[in-house]
Amino acid sequence: MGKVAAKLKVMPESPEVDLDDLQEELEDSLPEGAKINGFERDDVAFGLVALLPTVIVPDDAGGTEAVEEAFSSVGRVESIDVQNVGRI
């Protein structure tokens, strides 16, 4: 069984959101079998910064849908966008 790495773009609701707290909440919300392999940050505009986690999920987990749903359930998340997906 292989694994899939996906880079997601997580937009917070506002520039006032504490990104360190949001990052911890995203890590805590991960479904079983998924793990985060690191975070990057991307300055978007007007003080808004997006989190770019790289998530590793098992190939048989059905892609990134479970992770996207888990991240969507976290408060203070405006949107989630899959930036890149590849097998590892």
Side-chain angles (χ1 to χ4, degrees), residues 2 11 18 29-30 32 47 55 59 68 70 72 75 79 83 86:
M11 295 295 296
D18 184 324
S29 74
L30 284 173
E32 187 175 333
V55 181
D59 198 13
E68 291 176 69
S72 293
S79 65
Q83 299 287 299

Side-chain angles (χ1 to χ4, degrees), residues 12-22 75-77:
E13 289 179 335
S14 74
E16 288 80 34
V17 171
D18 184 324
L19 294 179
D20 293 328
D21 287 344
L22 183 58
R76 302 176 297 157
V77 170

